[in-house]
Amino acid sequence: MRELEEKIREYGTVLPGNVLKVDAFLNHQVDPQLMLHVGQEFAKLFADEGVTKIWTVESSGIAPAVMTGLAMNVPVIFARKHKSLTLNQNMYVADVYSYTKKTTNRISISKKYVSPDDKVLMIDDFLANGQAVEGMLEIADQAGVDVAGAGIVIEKSFQPGAKELRDRGIRLESLARIKSLKDNQIEFMPD
Amino acid sequence: MRELEEKIREYGTVLPGNVLKVDAFLNHQVDPQLMLHVGQEFAKLFADEGVTKIWTVESSGIAPAVMTGLAMNVPVIFARKHKSLTLNQNMYVADVYSYTKKTTNRISISKKYVSPDDKVLMIDDFLANGQAVEGMLEIADQAGVDVAGAGIVIEKSFQPGAKELRDRGIRLESLARIKSLKDNQIEFMPD
């Protein structure tokens, strides 16, 4: 997505440890028009999948997920993230390891808002090691719902998450794909 | 706002301790169309204030804040919430006590995205004791930015936050105002 790549080139900064900082428009300050276009793009890509619900994980996934929900006219659920959470019969839960923060969070979705007829599109801001999407897939499995795929704003293609999801047969659509952040240079995957 | 009050009547549930649970459409599952209308309503209410930026606090404030930013065509910043955060010269921080969770969180906004010319509209999902808005006001004070006011999706008018903000001269616009949750009944303030 050209508009997104331009934003990344203009405002993204590379930090040590292959971190791409995009808090100018995505995960601290948010550009609402860009998020709308991101949502519209996901809606177009997944238009034929019969999506009934958007899932994401708080907090940075919420803006693109809500815009996707708006464009597709379906509800959005943001999974809550907890440092600790007692297992609860009203919740689906999965553990998600963060390589950046080196901590495990438990994510949860209330069973009340999951129907066996759901077909879920998972949205997230970043895909690196794929832990957040894996956690949502685990919940989808527990709940027995269909998965339309995953829509990612920025994929770090040089990290293992994207390949692992595609190898599992998950339809993955990433609006920007970063090939490398070597030498503080942002290099995109060729189209 | 009629559409919001109807949603609250239909899907809101009252829990012990004056808790109004609206995770069917606001803070776990999110209704994107409703959020768009909420954002458009705030945009209308604050249209003449010269707002340059929306501030909110993660996570439940993000959906209404981003829709308000979309409607007003201004950027949104969501303050990050941390259990602990070392003071950092690149960040404005304030401590926010949660009466519900009985914990203090430190919220932070990067100085990089704050300009002295900003006029900030603060958006949040709930106003009860007003701690989150007070925290953002403290940051606005540190940063020396003007405050247009606070836009709240659901105000619990029987708790002290709303009165305190109005007494301080803060313009407060709440789209639904709850007078009482006694006996598990949701009673709205008269118009």
Side-chain angles (χ1 to χ4, degrees), chain B residues 89-132:
Chain B
Q89 58 176 2
N90 302 319
M91 297 281 198
Y92 297 110
V93 304
D95 287 330
V96 171
Y97 180 73
S98 163
Y99 284 85
T100 323
K101 295 180 185 163
K102 298 186 174 47
T103 53
T104 298
N105 281 301
R106 181 155 282 182
I107 63 168
S108 68
I109 287 182
S110 169
K111 291 183 180 175
K112 219 189 317 180
Y113 306 117
V114 178
S115 142
D117 301 328
D118 272 340
K119 189 157 184 194
V120 171
L121 170 59
M122 293 157 184
I123 299 288
D124 212 359
D125 58 333
F126 266 100
L127 180 74
N129 291 287
Q131 298 299 298

Short mmCIF file of all heavy atoms in Angstrom, two decimals, chain B residues 89-132:
data_model
loop_
_atom_site.label_atom_id
_atom_site.label_comp_id
_atom_site.label_asym_id
_atom_site.label_seq_id
_atom_site.Cartn_x
_atom_site.Cartn_y
_atom_site.Cartn_z
N GLN B 89 13.19 11.87 29.96
CA GLN B 89 13.11 13.27 29.55
C GLN B 89 12.40 13.46 28.21
O GLN B 89 12.07 14.57 27.84
CB GLN B 89 14.51 13.89 29.50
CG GLN B 89 15.44 13.14 28.57
CD GLN B 89 16.80 13.84 28.45
OE1 GLN B 89 17.04 14.85 29.08
NE2 GLN B 89 17.66 13.28 27.61
N ASN B 90 12.13 12.35 27.51
CA ASN B 90 11.42 12.47 26.23
C ASN B 90 9.91 12.33 26.37
O ASN B 90 9.19 12.36 25.38
CB ASN B 90 11.92 11.38 25.26
CG ASN B 90 13.41 11.48 25.05
OD1 ASN B 90 13.94 12.58 24.92
ND2 ASN B 90 14.09 10.34 25.07
N MET B 91 9.46 12.12 27.60
CA MET B 91 8.05 11.80 27.85
C MET B 91 7.46 12.75 28.88
O MET B 91 8.11 13.08 29.87
CB MET B 91 7.96 10.40 28.49
CG MET B 91 8.45 9.27 27.65
SD MET B 91 7.21 8.85 26.44
CE MET B 91 7.80 7.21 26.01
N TYR B 92 6.22 13.12 28.65
CA TYR B 92 5.42 13.67 29.74
C TYR B 92 4.74 12.49 30.44
O TYR B 92 4.23 11.60 29.77
CB TYR B 92 4.34 14.62 29.21
CG TYR B 92 4.88 15.83 28.51
CD1 TYR B 92 4.75 15.99 27.13
CD2 TYR B 92 5.50 16.85 29.22
CE1 TYR B 92 5.23 17.12 26.48
CE2 TYR B 92 5.99 17.98 28.59
CZ TYR B 92 5.86 18.11 27.22
OH TYR B 92 6.34 19.22 26.59
N VAL B 93 4.73 12.51 31.76
CA VAL B 93 4.07 11.41 32.48
C VAL B 93 3.18 11.96 33.59
O VAL B 93 3.39 13.07 34.09
CB VAL B 93 5.09 10.41 33.10
CG1 VAL B 93 6.02 9.84 32.05
CG2 VAL B 93 5.86 11.06 34.22
N ALA B 94 2.18 11.17 33.94
CA ALA B 94 1.32 11.49 35.08
C ALA B 94 0.84 10.17 35.67
O ALA B 94 0.76 9.17 34.96
CB ALA B 94 0.14 12.34 34.63
N ASP B 95 0.55 10.19 36.96
CA ASP B 95 0.06 8.97 37.61
C ASP B 95 -1.45 9.00 37.67
O ASP B 95 -2.06 10.03 37.99
CB ASP B 95 0.67 8.84 39.00
CG ASP B 95 2.14 8.45 38.93
OD1 ASP B 95 2.52 7.77 37.96
OD2 ASP B 95 2.91 8.82 39.84
N VAL B 96 -2.05 7.86 37.37
CA VAL B 96 -3.50 7.75 37.30
C VAL B 96 -3.93 6.59 38.19
O VAL B 96 -3.53 5.45 37.96
CB VAL B 96 -3.97 7.49 35.85
CG1 VAL B 96 -5.45 7.15 35.82
CG2 VAL B 96 -3.69 8.71 34.97
N TYR B 97 -4.74 6.90 39.18
CA TYR B 97 -5.23 5.85 40.07
C TYR B 97 -6.53 5.28 39.54
O TYR B 97 -7.43 6.02 39.14
CB TYR B 97 -5.44 6.42 41.48
CG TYR B 97 -5.95 5.39 42.46
CD1 TYR B 97 -5.09 4.41 42.94
CD2 TYR B 97 -7.27 5.38 42.88
CE1 TYR B 97 -5.54 3.44 43.83
CE2 TYR B 97 -7.74 4.42 43.76
CZ TYR B 97 -6.86 3.45 44.23
OH TYR B 97 -7.32 2.48 45.09
N SER B 98 -6.62 3.96 39.49
CA SER B 98 -7.87 3.32 39.08
C SER B 98 -8.62 2.83 40.32
O SER B 98 -8.13 1.96 41.05
CB SER B 98 -7.57 2.15 38.15
OG SER B 98 -8.72 1.30 38.09
N TYR B 99 -9.80 3.41 40.56
CA TYR B 99 -10.61 2.97 41.70
C TYR B 99 -11.15 1.56 41.48
O TYR B 99 -11.34 0.80 42.41
CB TYR B 99 -11.78 3.94 41.91
CG TYR B 99 -11.37 5.24 42.56
CD1 TYR B 99 -10.87 6.30 41.80
CD2 TYR B 99 -11.43 5.41 43.94
CE1 TYR B 99 -10.47 7.49 42.39
CE2 TYR B 99 -11.03 6.60 44.54
CZ TYR B 99 -10.56 7.64 43.76
OH TYR B 99 -10.15 8.80 44.35
N THR B 100 -11.42 1.22 40.21
CA THR B 100 -11.95 -0.11 39.91
C THR B 100 -10.89 -1.18 40.21
O THR B 100 -11.18 -2.20 40.84
CB THR B 100 -12.35 -0.22 38.42
OG1 THR B 100 -12.90 1.02 38.02
CG2 THR B 100 -13.32 -1.34 38.19
N LYS B 101 -9.66 -0.92 39.74
CA LYS B 101 -8.63 -1.95 39.88
C LYS B 101 -7.75 -1.73 41.11
O LYS B 101 -6.90 -2.54 41.43
CB LYS B 101 -7.77 -1.99 38.62
CG LYS B 101 -8.57 -2.43 37.40
CD LYS B 101 -7.73 -2.47 36.14
CE LYS B 101 -8.59 -2.81 34.92
NZ LYS B 101 -7.94 -2.48 33.66
N LYS B 102 -7.95 -0.58 41.77
CA LYS B 102 -7.16 -0.25 42.96
C LYS B 102 -5.66 -0.31 42.70
O LYS B 102 -4.89 -0.84 43.50
CB LYS B 102 -7.55 -1.15 44.15
CG LYS B 102 -9.02 -0.97 44.55
CD LYS B 102 -9.37 -1.74 45.81
CE LYS B 102 -10.79 -1.42 46.25
NZ LYS B 102 -11.79 -1.47 45.14
N THR B 103 -5.27 0.20 41.54
CA THR B 103 -3.85 0.27 41.22
C THR B 103 -3.57 1.64 40.60
O THR B 103 -4.46 2.30 40.07
CB THR B 103 -3.44 -0.78 40.16
OG1 THR B 103 -4.32 -0.63 39.02
CG2 THR B 103 -3.55 -2.19 40.69
N THR B 104 -2.31 2.02 40.66
CA THR B 104 -1.89 3.26 40.00
C THR B 104 -1.11 2.91 38.75
O THR B 104 -0.22 2.07 38.77
CB THR B 104 -1.00 4.10 40.94
OG1 THR B 104 -1.77 4.45 42.09
CG2 THR B 104 -0.52 5.37 40.26
N ASN B 105 -1.49 3.54 37.65
CA ASN B 105 -0.73 3.40 36.42
C ASN B 105 -0.08 4.73 36.09
O ASN B 105 -0.64 5.79 36.39
CB ASN B 105 -1.64 3.02 35.25
CG ASN B 105 -1.98 1.54 35.26
OD1 ASN B 105 -1.08 0.71 35.19
ND2 ASN B 105 -3.25 1.23 35.36
N ARG B 106 1.05 4.66 35.47
CA ARG B 106 1.68 5.87 34.96
C ARG B 106 1.32 5.97 33.47
O ARG B 106 1.51 5.02 32.73
CB ARG B 106 3.19 5.75 35.17
CG ARG B 106 3.97 6.94 34.71
CD ARG B 106 5.30 7.06 35.45
NE ARG B 106 5.10 7.62 36.79
CZ ARG B 106 6.09 7.86 37.64
NH1 ARG B 106 7.33 7.58 37.31
NH2 ARG B 106 5.83 8.38 38.83
N ILE B 107 0.78 7.11 33.08
CA ILE B 107 0.50 7.30 31.66
C ILE B 107 1.57 8.21 31.07
O ILE B 107 2.14 9.05 31.77
CB ILE B 107 -0.92 7.86 31.39
CG1 ILE B 107 -1.10 9.26 31.99
CG2 ILE B 107 -1.99 6.91 31.91
CD1 ILE B 107 -2.37 9.96 31.52
N SER B 108 1.85 8.01 29.79
CA SER B 108 2.92 8.79 29.18
C SER B 108 2.55 9.21 27.77
O SER B 108 1.84 8.49 27.05
CB SER B 108 4.22 7.98 29.14
OG SER B 108 4.09 6.90 28.25
N ILE B 109 3.02 10.39 27.40
CA ILE B 109 2.88 10.90 26.04
C ILE B 109 4.25 11.41 25.61
O ILE B 109 4.92 12.13 26.36
CB ILE B 109 1.82 12.02 25.98
CG1 ILE B 109 0.41 11.42 26.13
CG2 ILE B 109 1.93 12.83 24.70
CD1 ILE B 109 -0.72 12.43 26.05
N SER B 110 4.67 11.02 24.42
CA SER B 110 5.97 11.44 23.91
C SER B 110 5.98 12.93 23.60
O SER B 110 5.07 13.44 22.94
CB SER B 110 6.30 10.64 22.66
OG SER B 110 7.42 11.20 22.02
N LYS B 111 7.01 13.63 24.07
CA LYS B 111 7.12 15.07 23.81
C LYS B 111 7.19 15.36 22.32
O LYS B 111 6.83 16.44 21.86
CB LYS B 111 8.37 15.63 24.50
CG LYS B 111 8.25 15.65 26.02
CD LYS B 111 9.46 16.28 26.69
CE LYS B 111 9.26 16.26 28.20
NZ LYS B 111 10.45 16.77 28.94
N LYS B 112 7.67 14.36 21.57
CA LYS B 112 7.84 14.55 20.12
C LYS B 112 6.53 14.92 19.43
O LYS B 112 6.54 15.58 18.39
CB LYS B 112 8.38 13.24 19.52
CG LYS B 112 9.40 13.44 18.44
CD LYS B 112 9.76 12.15 17.71
CE LYS B 112 9.95 10.92 18.57
NZ LYS B 112 10.30 9.73 17.74
N TYR B 113 5.41 14.47 19.97
CA TYR B 113 4.14 14.68 19.29
C TYR B 113 3.28 15.75 19.94
O TYR B 113 2.07 15.82 19.71
CB TYR B 113 3.40 13.34 19.16
CG TYR B 113 4.28 12.31 18.51
CD1 TYR B 113 4.67 11.16 19.16
CD2 TYR B 113 4.80 12.57 17.23
CE1 TYR B 113 5.54 10.26 18.57
CE2 TYR B 113 5.67 11.68 16.64
CZ TYR B 113 6.04 10.53 17.31
OH TYR B 113 6.89 9.65 16.73
N VAL B 114 3.93 16.57 20.77
CA VAL B 114 3.21 17.65 21.43
C VAL B 114 3.84 18.96 20.99
O VAL B 114 5.07 19.11 21.06
CB VAL B 114 3.31 17.50 22.97
CG1 VAL B 114 2.60 18.67 23.66
CG2 VAL B 114 2.71 16.17 23.42
N SER B 115 3.00 19.87 20.51
CA SER B 115 3.49 21.19 20.11
C SER B 115 2.88 22.23 21.06
O SER B 115 1.73 22.07 21.49
CB SER B 115 3.08 21.46 18.66
OG SER B 115 2.73 22.81 18.49
N PRO B 116 3.61 23.28 21.38
CA PRO B 116 3.04 24.29 22.27
C PRO B 116 1.81 24.97 21.68
O PRO B 116 1.02 25.58 22.41
CB PRO B 116 4.19 25.29 22.46
CG PRO B 116 5.20 24.97 21.42
CD PRO B 116 5.00 23.57 21.00
N ASP B 117 1.62 24.86 20.37
CA ASP B 117 0.44 25.44 19.73
C ASP B 117 -0.78 24.52 19.76
O ASP B 117 -1.83 24.89 19.23
CB ASP B 117 0.75 25.79 18.26
CG ASP B 117 1.91 26.76 18.16
OD1 ASP B 117 2.06 27.59 19.07
OD2 ASP B 117 2.67 26.68 17.16
N ASP B 118 -0.61 23.34 20.33
CA ASP B 118 -1.72 22.39 20.30
C ASP B 118 -2.90 22.88 21.14
O ASP B 118 -2.73 23.53 22.18
CB ASP B 118 -1.27 21.03 20.86
CG ASP B 118 -0.68 20.14 19.78
OD1 ASP B 118 -0.95 20.39 18.60
OD2 ASP B 118 0.05 19.19 20.13
N LYS B 119 -4.07 22.53 20.65
CA LYS B 119 -5.28 22.65 21.46
C LYS B 119 -5.92 21.27 21.49
O LYS B 119 -6.31 20.74 20.44
CB LYS B 119 -6.23 23.70 20.90
CG LYS B 119 -7.38 23.97 21.86
CD LYS B 119 -8.01 25.32 21.65
CE LYS B 119 -9.08 25.56 22.70
NZ LYS B 119 -9.93 26.70 22.32
N VAL B 120 -5.97 20.71 22.67
CA VAL B 120 -6.21 19.28 22.81
C VAL B 120 -7.64 19.00 23.25
O VAL B 120 -8.16 19.66 24.16
CB VAL B 120 -5.22 18.70 23.84
CG1 VAL B 120 -5.57 17.27 24.19
CG2 VAL B 120 -3.79 18.78 23.32
N LEU B 121 -8.25 18.01 22.59
CA LEU B 121 -9.53 17.47 23.03
C LEU B 121 -9.28 16.08 23.60
O LEU B 121 -8.71 15.22 22.92
CB LEU B 121 -10.52 17.40 21.86
CG LEU B 121 -11.82 16.64 22.11
CD1 LEU B 121 -12.62 17.26 23.26
CD2 LEU B 121 -12.67 16.61 20.84
N MET B 122 -9.68 15.88 24.85
CA MET B 122 -9.46 14.58 25.49
C MET B 122 -10.70 13.72 25.37
O MET B 122 -11.80 14.18 25.68
CB MET B 122 -9.14 14.82 26.97
CG MET B 122 -7.80 15.52 27.12
SD MET B 122 -7.66 16.39 28.66
CE MET B 122 -6.04 17.15 28.41
N ILE B 123 -10.51 12.51 24.90
CA ILE B 123 -11.65 11.59 24.71
C ILE B 123 -11.44 10.36 25.59
O ILE B 123 -10.32 9.85 25.68
CB ILE B 123 -11.72 11.14 23.22
CG1 ILE B 123 -11.93 12.33 22.29
CG2 ILE B 123 -12.80 10.07 23.02
CD1 ILE B 123 -13.31 12.95 22.32
N ASP B 124 -12.52 9.92 26.22
CA ASP B 124 -12.40 8.65 26.94
C ASP B 124 -13.74 7.93 26.93
O ASP B 124 -14.78 8.53 26.66
CB ASP B 124 -11.88 8.85 28.37
CG ASP B 124 -11.04 7.66 28.84
OD1 ASP B 124 -10.88 6.68 28.08
OD2 ASP B 124 -10.54 7.69 29.97
N ASP B 125 -13.68 6.63 27.19
CA ASP B 125 -14.90 5.83 27.14
C ASP B 125 -15.80 6.10 28.35
O ASP B 125 -17.00 6.25 28.21
CB ASP B 125 -14.59 4.33 26.99
CG ASP B 125 -13.73 3.77 28.11
OD1 ASP B 125 -12.94 4.54 28.71
OD2 ASP B 125 -13.82 2.56 28.40
N PHE B 126 -15.18 6.19 29.53
CA PHE B 126 -15.95 6.37 30.76
C PHE B 126 -15.40 7.53 31.57
O PHE B 126 -14.19 7.80 31.55
CB PHE B 126 -15.83 5.11 31.64
CG PHE B 126 -16.95 4.13 31.44
CD1 PHE B 126 -16.77 3.01 30.64
CD2 PHE B 126 -18.17 4.33 32.05
CE1 PHE B 126 -17.81 2.10 30.45
CE2 PHE B 126 -19.21 3.43 31.87
CZ PHE B 126 -19.03 2.32 31.07
N LEU B 127 -16.26 8.19 32.29
CA LEU B 127 -15.83 9.15 33.31
C LEU B 127 -16.55 8.78 34.59
O LEU B 127 -17.79 8.81 34.65
CB LEU B 127 -16.18 10.58 32.91
CG LEU B 127 -15.75 11.65 33.93
CD1 LEU B 127 -14.25 11.87 33.89
CD2 LEU B 127 -16.46 12.97 33.67
N ALA B 128 -15.78 8.41 35.59
CA ALA B 128 -16.38 8.08 36.89
C ALA B 128 -15.73 9.01 37.92
O ALA B 128 -16.26 10.05 38.26
CB ALA B 128 -16.14 6.61 37.21
N ASN B 129 -14.53 8.64 38.36
CA ASN B 129 -13.82 9.52 39.29
C ASN B 129 -12.93 10.52 38.56
O ASN B 129 -12.35 11.41 39.17
CB ASN B 129 -13.01 8.68 40.27
CG ASN B 129 -13.91 7.92 41.21
OD1 ASN B 129 -14.51 8.50 42.10
ND2 ASN B 129 -14.08 6.62 40.97
N GLY B 130 -12.83 10.37 37.26
CA GLY B 130 -12.15 11.39 36.47
C GLY B 130 -10.64 11.30 36.47
O GLY B 130 -9.96 12.23 36.03
N GLN B 131 -10.11 10.18 36.94
CA GLN B 131 -8.67 10.09 37.09
C GLN B 131 -7.91 10.15 35.76
O GLN B 131 -6.86 10.78 35.66
CB GLN B 131 -8.29 8.80 37.84
CG GLN B 131 -8.87 8.76 39.25
CD GLN B 131 -8.36 9.89 40.11
OE1 GLN B 131 -7.18 10.01 40.36
NE2 GLN B 131 -9.26 10.77 40.55
N ALA B 132 -8.44 9.48 34.74
CA ALA B 132 -7.72 9.46 33.46
C ALA B 132 -7.67 10.86 32.85
O ALA B 132 -6.61 11.31 32.40
CB ALA B 132 -8.39 8.48 32.49
#
